[in-house]
Amino acid sequence: MLDLGISKMALIGAVALIVIGPEKLPRVARTVGTLLGKAQRYVADVKAEVNRAMDLDELKKMKESVEEAGREVEKGIYSTKADFEKDWSSVTAGLDGSAATSSGDATPPRVGATAARIPPPGQELAPQARRHAAVVQGAPGRAAAGAVGRGARGALPAP
């Protein structure tokens, strides 16, 4: 840009004083100052408008990415819902089928291979399993809830 030092400004002022004259110089200086101020405000407004347009573009891109992520989440939810409904219907069909074939056994139907079933008191268990079953079932005269583990050995009478 213009590199105006004090010496260059003094030279411009001296030439303006000679050309314009001492009586018109203050009015011309005010007019030039006003025009320079308006030019600076106009440049600042243009810069702000360009920055707003850039921010608007960024916001539009961000909006599109958020909408895309929302669509992906919605697809995931619907697919998970469909999978859940399919699995649920197969589980309930399995429960209905096992209950229909039950021979009057009082034990609840098994829901999978991992379902645990505690045998009735007449069946034999290993000592550790007996302690665990006593704690789970809360049997009277058996091991207390805190007596599971190494410290509970011998807490139950042998059958």
Side-chain angles (χ1 to χ4, degrees), residues 76-92:
I77 288 172
Y78 284 132
S79 68
T80 303
K81 178 184 173 190
D83 291 344
F84 175 76
E85 287 174 349
K86 183 181 72 168
D87 291 345
W88 182 255
S89 64
S90 68
V91 166
T92 55

Side-chain angles (χ1 to χ4, degrees), residues 95-122:
L95 286 176
D96 292 341
S98 66
T101 60
S102 177
S103 62
D105 192 8
T107 60
R110 295 180 61 127
V111 179
T114 59
R117 182 176 156 264
I118 300 173

